[in-house]
Amino acid sequence: MKNLFLGYWHLLFSGCVGLLFAACTHYDVETADTPANRGGFERHFGFVPDASVTKVYYYADELGIDASYQLSFKCSRETIKRIIEKLSLESVPPERADSLLDPRDDLPWWNPDSIDNRELWLKEEENAYYWQLWYSDRDQMAFYLEYSV
């Protein structure tokens, strides 16, 4: 009977762990433009990135009670305007970023200075959820951070 109980317990535990990993968002942190990374773009911005959106990198941290997502991609100002409209983001001074959560900057495509000297748009549900988007016409690179607290 004890072996039967242990067998059921092992099966139940293995199934729960499997479901946990199956429920996590898929992405490739080291390779741009994979279907999973472009799918992350679509999930967060509500539209499929067209061929002009390139170098799409994606990262998701969904463990624990708070989640965070980071994207980096190259796009036109028109795409940025579309994202701003879809997410209802508002322009804020870049120094406002100093009071926000620091993005993870150890990713191969997001360095500590990646968001320096870029326009910043923000939306927040105070003490609950945040959306941040940085962009520069200079290199047409966008950096996006979304997180809950």
Side-chain angles (χ1 to χ4, degrees):
M1 188 64 144
K2 182 178 178 182
N3 286 341
L4 184 61
F5 173 76
L6 290 176
Y8 284 130
W9 174 248
H10 177 63
L11 184 62
L12 178 63
F13 178 77
S14 297
C16 289
V17 169
L19 284 174
L20 175 68
F21 285 115
C24 291
T25 300
H26 298 284
Y27 60 91
D28 186 334
V29 75
E30 295 181 0
T31 307
D33 297 318
T34 64
N37 292 358
R38 293 182 76 79
F41 180 103
E42 181 180 359
R43 271 189 303 285
H44 291 276
F45 302 133
F47 63 94
V48 175
D50 63 26
S52 72
V53 178
T54 61
K55 298 182 181 177
V56 179
Y57 288 95
Y58 183 61
Y59 169 77
D61 178 356
E62 298 169 323
L63 298 176
I65 59 171
D66 52 349
S68 67
Y69 305 92
Q70 287 181 236
L71 287 107
S72 172
F73 49 93
K74 185 171 185 154
C75 69
S76 66
R77 172 66 70 168
E78 289 74 31
T79 299
I80 290 299
K81 288 178 183 176
R82 189 171 177 194
I83 293 169
I84 291 167
E85 184 178 302
K86 279 277 196 185
L87 299 180
S88 302
L89 301 174
E90 295 183 14
S91 179
V92 296
E95 56 272 9
R96 173 72 167 85
D98 294 339
S99 66
L100 301 170
L101 179 74
D102 287 330
R104 188 174 168 168
D105 62 9
D106 62 340
L107 301 167
W109 40 269
W110 194 313
N111 300 315
D113 62 350
S114 292
I115 57 176
D116 292 350
N117 302 313
R118 295 183 187 277
E119 292 179 75
L120 171 62
W121 294 268
L122 171 70
K123 178 173 135 184
E124 57 188 317
E125 292 175 2
E126 191 107 14
N127 298 319
Y129 213 88
Y130 297 82
W131 299 260
Q132 298 165 215
L133 176 67
W134 292 266
Y135 182 75
S136 174
D137 288 314
R138 178 180 30 84
D139 60 4
Q140 295 187 315
M141 288 298 297
F143 294 87
Y144 176 75
L145 173 63
E146 178 181 325
Y147 61 94
S148 62
V149 290

PDB file of all heavy atoms in Angstrom, residues 44-47 77-91 121 123 133:
ATOM      1  N   HIS A  44       1.922  41.085 -26.074  1.00  0.00           N
ATOM      2  CA  HIS A  44       2.014  42.289 -25.252  1.00  0.00           C
ATOM      3  C   HIS A  44       1.493  43.547 -25.939  1.00  0.00           C
ATOM      4  O   HIS A  44       1.025  44.459 -25.267  1.00  0.00           O
ATOM      5  CB  HIS A  44       3.450  42.501 -24.768  1.00  0.00           C
ATOM      6  CG  HIS A  44       3.849  41.467 -23.775  1.00  0.00           C
ATOM      7  ND1 HIS A  44       3.561  41.560 -22.431  1.00  0.00           N
ATOM      8  CD2 HIS A  44       4.468  40.274 -23.937  1.00  0.00           C
ATOM      9  CE1 HIS A  44       4.002  40.487 -21.814  1.00  0.00           C
ATOM     10  NE2 HIS A  44       4.552  39.683 -22.695  1.00  0.00           N
ATOM     11  N   PHE A  45       1.555  43.598 -27.265  1.00  0.00           N
ATOM     12  CA  PHE A  45       1.147  44.806 -27.966  1.00  0.00           C
ATOM     13  C   PHE A  45      -0.166  44.659 -28.725  1.00  0.00           C
ATOM     14  O   PHE A  45      -0.699  45.638 -29.230  1.00  0.00           O
ATOM     15  CB  PHE A  45       2.256  45.277 -28.911  1.00  0.00           C
ATOM     16  CG  PHE A  45       3.553  45.545 -28.192  1.00  0.00           C
ATOM     17  CD1 PHE A  45       4.751  45.056 -28.692  1.00  0.00           C
ATOM     18  CD2 PHE A  45       3.588  46.256 -27.004  1.00  0.00           C
ATOM     19  CE1 PHE A  45       5.945  45.293 -28.031  1.00  0.00           C
ATOM     20  CE2 PHE A  45       4.774  46.498 -26.331  1.00  0.00           C
ATOM     21  CZ  PHE A  45       5.958  46.011 -26.850  1.00  0.00           C
ATOM     22  N   GLY A  46      -0.678  43.441 -28.821  1.00  0.00           N
ATOM     23  CA  GLY A  46      -2.000  43.235 -29.406  1.00  0.00           C
ATOM     24  C   GLY A  46      -2.053  43.252 -30.924  1.00  0.00           C
ATOM     25  O   GLY A  46      -3.128  43.332 -31.493  1.00  0.00           O
ATOM     26  N   PHE A  47      -0.914  43.160 -31.588  1.00  0.00           N
ATOM     27  CA  PHE A  47      -0.901  43.046 -33.043  1.00  0.00           C
ATOM     28  C   PHE A  47       0.356  42.306 -33.485  1.00  0.00           C
ATOM     29  O   PHE A  47       1.370  42.299 -32.793  1.00  0.00           O
ATOM     30  CB  PHE A  47      -1.013  44.410 -33.730  1.00  0.00           C
ATOM     31  CG  PHE A  47       0.113  45.363 -33.462  1.00  0.00           C
ATOM     32  CD1 PHE A  47       1.204  45.448 -34.321  1.00  0.00           C
ATOM     33  CD2 PHE A  47       0.089  46.214 -32.354  1.00  0.00           C
ATOM     34  CE1 PHE A  47       2.235  46.336 -34.082  1.00  0.00           C
ATOM     35  CE2 PHE A  47       1.118  47.111 -32.114  1.00  0.00           C
ATOM     36  CZ  PHE A  47       2.203  47.170 -32.976  1.00  0.00           C
ATOM     37  N   ARG A  77       8.935  54.743 -36.250  1.00  0.00           N
ATOM     38  CA  ARG A  77       8.164  55.613 -35.361  1.00  0.00           C
ATOM     39  C   ARG A  77       6.670  55.265 -35.465  1.00  0.00           C
ATOM     40  O   ARG A  77       5.948  55.333 -34.476  1.00  0.00           O
ATOM     41  CB  ARG A  77       8.433  57.072 -35.734  1.00  0.00           C
ATOM     42  CG  ARG A  77       7.569  58.104 -35.033  1.00  0.00           C
ATOM     43  CD  ARG A  77       7.791  58.213 -33.565  1.00  0.00           C
ATOM     44  NE  ARG A  77       9.068  58.789 -33.204  1.00  0.00           N
ATOM     45  CZ  ARG A  77       9.358  59.183 -31.974  1.00  0.00           C
ATOM     46  NH1 ARG A  77       8.461  59.092 -31.007  1.00  0.00           N
ATOM     47  NH2 ARG A  77      10.534  59.661 -31.690  1.00  0.00           N
ATOM     48  N   GLU A  78       6.204  54.862 -36.645  1.00  0.00           N
ATOM     49  CA  GLU A  78       4.791  54.503 -36.824  1.00  0.00           C
ATOM     50  C   GLU A  78       4.405  53.308 -35.947  1.00  0.00           C
ATOM     51  O   GLU A  78       3.323  53.276 -35.363  1.00  0.00           O
ATOM     52  CB  GLU A  78       4.483  54.198 -38.299  1.00  0.00           C
ATOM     53  CG  GLU A  78       4.496  55.420 -39.201  1.00  0.00           C
ATOM     54  CD  GLU A  78       5.908  55.939 -39.490  1.00  0.00           C
ATOM     55  OE1 GLU A  78       6.868  55.134 -39.539  1.00  0.00           O
ATOM     56  OE2 GLU A  78       6.060  57.171 -39.631  1.00  0.00           O
ATOM     57  N   THR A  79       5.305  52.318 -35.851  1.00  0.00           N
ATOM     58  CA  THR A  79       5.038  51.163 -34.982  1.00  0.00           C
ATOM     59  C   THR A  79       4.982  51.601 -33.525  1.00  0.00           C
ATOM     60  O   THR A  79       4.115  51.151 -32.764  1.00  0.00           O
ATOM     61  CB  THR A  79       6.102  50.078 -35.181  1.00  0.00           C
ATOM     62  OG1 THR A  79       6.070  49.638 -36.555  1.00  0.00           O
ATOM     63  CG2 THR A  79       5.861  48.881 -34.274  1.00  0.00           C
ATOM     64  N   ILE A  80       5.879  52.486 -33.126  1.00  0.00           N
ATOM     65  CA  ILE A  80       5.876  52.994 -31.746  1.00  0.00           C
ATOM     66  C   ILE A  80       4.561  53.716 -31.462  1.00  0.00           C
ATOM     67  O   ILE A  80       3.952  53.515 -30.403  1.00  0.00           O
ATOM     68  CB  ILE A  80       7.088  53.923 -31.509  1.00  0.00           C
ATOM     69  CG1 ILE A  80       8.375  53.112 -31.508  1.00  0.00           C
ATOM     70  CG2 ILE A  80       6.945  54.710 -30.217  1.00  0.00           C
ATOM     71  CD1 ILE A  80       8.477  52.046 -30.423  1.00  0.00           C
ATOM     72  N   LYS A  81       4.114  54.536 -32.400  1.00  0.00           N
ATOM     73  CA  LYS A  81       2.834  55.235 -32.214  1.00  0.00           C
ATOM     74  C   LYS A  81       1.691  54.241 -32.050  1.00  0.00           C
ATOM     75  O   LYS A  81       0.792  54.446 -31.222  1.00  0.00           O
ATOM     76  CB  LYS A  81       2.559  56.157 -33.407  1.00  0.00           C
ATOM     77  CG  LYS A  81       3.427  57.381 -33.443  1.00  0.00           C
ATOM     78  CD  LYS A  81       3.128  58.222 -34.669  1.00  0.00           C
ATOM     79  CE  LYS A  81       4.044  59.423 -34.760  1.00  0.00           C
ATOM     80  NZ  LYS A  81       3.826  60.193 -35.999  1.00  0.00           N
ATOM     81  N   ARG A  82       1.725  53.158 -32.800  1.00  0.00           N
ATOM     82  CA  ARG A  82       0.678  52.134 -32.699  1.00  0.00           C
ATOM     83  C   ARG A  82       0.697  51.461 -31.323  1.00  0.00           C
ATOM     84  O   ARG A  82      -0.347  51.224 -30.718  1.00  0.00           O
ATOM     85  CB  ARG A  82       0.868  51.103 -33.817  1.00  0.00           C
ATOM     86  CG  ARG A  82      -0.265  50.137 -33.943  1.00  0.00           C
ATOM     87  CD  ARG A  82      -0.113  49.300 -35.189  1.00  0.00           C
ATOM     88  NE  ARG A  82      -1.189  48.327 -35.259  1.00  0.00           N
ATOM     89  CZ  ARG A  82      -1.205  47.295 -36.072  1.00  0.00           C
ATOM     90  NH1 ARG A  82      -0.225  47.127 -36.946  1.00  0.00           N
ATOM     91  NH2 ARG A  82      -2.209  46.441 -36.052  1.00  0.00           N
ATOM     92  N   ILE A  83       1.886  51.161 -30.819  1.00  0.00           N
ATOM     93  CA  ILE A  83       2.015  50.560 -29.485  1.00  0.00           C
ATOM     94  C   ILE A  83       1.513  51.524 -28.418  1.00  0.00           C
ATOM     95  O   ILE A  83       0.752  51.137 -27.517  1.00  0.00           O
ATOM     96  CB  ILE A  83       3.485  50.156 -29.206  1.00  0.00           C
ATOM     97  CG1 ILE A  83       3.899  49.011 -30.124  1.00  0.00           C
ATOM     98  CG2 ILE A  83       3.679  49.775 -27.738  1.00  0.00           C
ATOM     99  CD1 ILE A  83       5.393  48.714 -30.112  1.00  0.00           C
ATOM    100  N   ILE A  84       1.908  52.777 -28.523  1.00  0.00           N
ATOM    101  CA  ILE A  84       1.480  53.793 -27.552  1.00  0.00           C
ATOM    102  C   ILE A  84      -0.042  53.887 -27.519  1.00  0.00           C
ATOM    103  O   ILE A  84      -0.652  53.937 -26.445  1.00  0.00           O
ATOM    104  CB  ILE A  84       2.112  55.155 -27.892  1.00  0.00           C
ATOM    105  CG1 ILE A  84       3.616  55.109 -27.632  1.00  0.00           C
ATOM    106  CG2 ILE A  84       1.460  56.285 -27.106  1.00  0.00           C
ATOM    107  CD1 ILE A  84       4.388  56.275 -28.223  1.00  0.00           C
ATOM    108  N   GLU A  85      -0.653  53.866 -28.683  1.00  0.00           N
ATOM    109  CA  GLU A  85      -2.115  53.937 -28.764  1.00  0.00           C
ATOM    110  C   GLU A  85      -2.766  52.681 -28.199  1.00  0.00           C
ATOM    111  O   GLU A  85      -3.706  52.763 -27.412  1.00  0.00           O
ATOM    112  CB  GLU A  85      -2.528  54.139 -30.221  1.00  0.00           C
ATOM    113  CG  GLU A  85      -4.030  54.312 -30.397  1.00  0.00           C
ATOM    114  CD  GLU A  85      -4.387  54.554 -31.858  1.00  0.00           C
ATOM    115  OE1 GLU A  85      -3.869  55.524 -32.438  1.00  0.00           O
ATOM    116  OE2 GLU A  85      -5.180  53.750 -32.399  1.00  0.00           O
ATOM    117  N   LYS A  86      -2.257  51.504 -28.573  1.00  0.00           N
ATOM    118  CA  LYS A  86      -2.837  50.231 -28.097  1.00  0.00           C
ATOM    119  C   LYS A  86      -2.783  50.116 -26.580  1.00  0.00           C
ATOM    120  O   LYS A  86      -3.719  49.631 -25.957  1.00  0.00           O
ATOM    121  CB  LYS A  86      -2.088  49.043 -28.706  1.00  0.00           C
ATOM    122  CG  LYS A  86      -2.491  48.693 -30.093  1.00  0.00           C
ATOM    123  CD  LYS A  86      -3.717  47.828 -30.063  1.00  0.00           C
ATOM    124  CE  LYS A  86      -3.918  47.150 -31.393  1.00  0.00           C
ATOM    125  NZ  LYS A  86      -5.151  46.392 -31.430  1.00  0.00           N
ATOM    126  N   LEU A  87      -1.661  50.550 -25.986  1.00  0.00           N
ATOM    127  CA  LEU A  87      -1.474  50.399 -24.537  1.00  0.00           C
ATOM    128  C   LEU A  87      -1.877  51.630 -23.740  1.00  0.00           C
ATOM    129  O   LEU A  87      -1.804  51.612 -22.512  1.00  0.00           O
ATOM    130  CB  LEU A  87      -0.012  50.048 -24.239  1.00  0.00           C
ATOM    131  CG  LEU A  87       0.524  48.752 -24.833  1.00  0.00           C
ATOM    132  CD1 LEU A  87       1.985  48.554 -24.455  1.00  0.00           C
ATOM    133  CD2 LEU A  87      -0.314  47.561 -24.398  1.00  0.00           C
ATOM    134  N   SER A  88      -2.284  52.696 -24.434  1.00  0.00           N
ATOM    135  CA  SER A  88      -2.641  53.960 -23.773  1.00  0.00           C
ATOM    136  C   SER A  88      -1.492  54.498 -22.915  1.00  0.00           C
ATOM    137  O   SER A  88      -1.675  54.901 -21.764  1.00  0.00           O
ATOM    138  CB  SER A  88      -3.902  53.794 -22.921  1.00  0.00           C
ATOM    139  OG  SER A  88      -4.981  53.354 -23.701  1.00  0.00           O
ATOM    140  N   LEU A  89      -0.303  54.506 -23.486  1.00  0.00           N
ATOM    141  CA  LEU A  89       0.874  55.012 -22.787  1.00  0.00           C
ATOM    142  C   LEU A  89       0.923  56.533 -22.863  1.00  0.00           C
ATOM    143  O   LEU A  89       0.407  57.120 -23.811  1.00  0.00           O
ATOM    144  CB  LEU A  89       2.146  54.431 -23.407  1.00  0.00           C
ATOM    145  CG  LEU A  89       2.262  52.907 -23.413  1.00  0.00           C
ATOM    146  CD1 LEU A  89       3.500  52.473 -24.188  1.00  0.00           C
ATOM    147  CD2 LEU A  89       2.286  52.355 -22.007  1.00  0.00           C
ATOM    148  N   GLU A  90       1.560  57.150 -21.876  1.00  0.00           N
ATOM    149  CA  GLU A  90       1.708  58.600 -21.845  1.00  0.00           C
ATOM    150  C   GLU A  90       3.182  58.959 -21.799  1.00  0.00           C
ATOM    151  O   GLU A  90       3.977  58.314 -21.112  1.00  0.00           O
ATOM    152  CB  GLU A  90       1.000  59.180 -20.626  1.00  0.00           C
ATOM    153  CG  GLU A  90      -0.498  58.977 -20.670  1.00  0.00           C
ATOM    154  CD  GLU A  90      -1.210  59.619 -19.484  1.00  0.00           C
ATOM    155  OE1 GLU A  90      -0.578  60.445 -18.786  1.00  0.00           O
ATOM    156  OE2 GLU A  90      -2.372  59.285 -19.259  1.00  0.00           O
ATOM    157  N   SER A  91       3.548  60.016 -22.514  1.00  0.00           N
ATOM    158  CA  SER A  91       4.917  60.494 -22.543  1.00  0.00           C
ATOM    159  C   SER A  91       5.286  61.065 -21.170  1.00  0.00           C
ATOM    160  O   SER A  91       4.499  61.777 -20.554  1.00  0.00           O
ATOM    161  CB  SER A  91       5.063  61.571 -23.614  1.00  0.00           C
ATOM    162  OG  SER A  91       6.379  62.051 -23.629  1.00  0.00           O
ATOM    163  N   TRP A 121       7.678  56.409 -22.531  1.00  0.00           N
ATOM    164  CA  TRP A 121       6.226  56.417 -22.350  1.00  0.00           C
ATOM    165  C   TRP A 121       5.902  55.423 -21.251  1.00  0.00           C
ATOM    166  O   TRP A 121       6.582  54.410 -21.081  1.00  0.00           O
ATOM    167  CB  TRP A 121       5.502  56.012 -23.627  1.00  0.00           C
ATOM    168  CG  TRP A 121       5.675  56.993 -24.738  1.00  0.00           C
ATOM    169  CD1 TRP A 121       4.871  58.052 -25.049  1.00  0.00           C
ATOM    170  CD2 TRP A 121       6.728  57.012 -25.707  1.00  0.00           C
ATOM    171  NE1 TRP A 121       5.362  58.725 -26.141  1.00  0.00           N
ATOM    172  CE2 TRP A 121       6.507  58.106 -26.566  1.00  0.00           C
ATOM    173  CE3 TRP A 121       7.854  56.210 -25.930  1.00  0.00           C
ATOM    174  CZ2 TRP A 121       7.348  58.412 -27.620  1.00  0.00           C
ATOM    175  CZ3 TRP A 121       8.696  56.525 -26.980  1.00  0.00           C
ATOM    176  CH2 TRP A 121       8.437  57.615 -27.813  1.00  0.00           C
ATOM    177  N   LYS A 123       2.654  53.740 -18.512  1.00  0.00           N
ATOM    178  CA  LYS A 123       1.299  53.583 -17.986  1.00  0.00           C
ATOM    179  C   LYS A 123       1.466  52.803 -16.690  1.00  0.00           C
ATOM    180  O   LYS A 123       2.288  51.895 -16.605  1.00  0.00           O
ATOM    181  CB  LYS A 123       0.422  52.804 -18.963  1.00  0.00           C
ATOM    182  CG  LYS A 123      -0.994  52.570 -18.465  1.00  0.00           C
ATOM    183  CD  LYS A 123      -1.826  51.950 -19.573  1.00  0.00           C
ATOM    184  CE  LYS A 123      -2.652  50.810 -19.115  1.00  0.00           C
ATOM    185  NZ  LYS A 123      -3.378  50.162 -20.196  1.00  0.00           N
ATOM    186  N   LEU A 133       7.961  52.040 -22.099  1.00  0.00           N
ATOM    187  CA  LEU A 133       8.472  51.910 -23.461  1.00  0.00           C
ATOM    188  C   LEU A 133       9.468  53.027 -23.728  1.00  0.00           C
ATOM    189  O   LEU A 133       9.157  54.205 -23.510  1.00  0.00           O
ATOM    190  CB  LEU A 133       7.311  51.992 -24.462  1.00  0.00           C
ATOM    191  CG  LEU A 133       7.674  51.964 -25.941  1.00  0.00           C
ATOM    192  CD1 LEU A 133       8.248  50.603 -26.347  1.00  0.00           C
ATOM    193  CD2 LEU A 133       6.445  52.306 -26.782  1.00  0.00           C
TER     194      LEU A 133
END
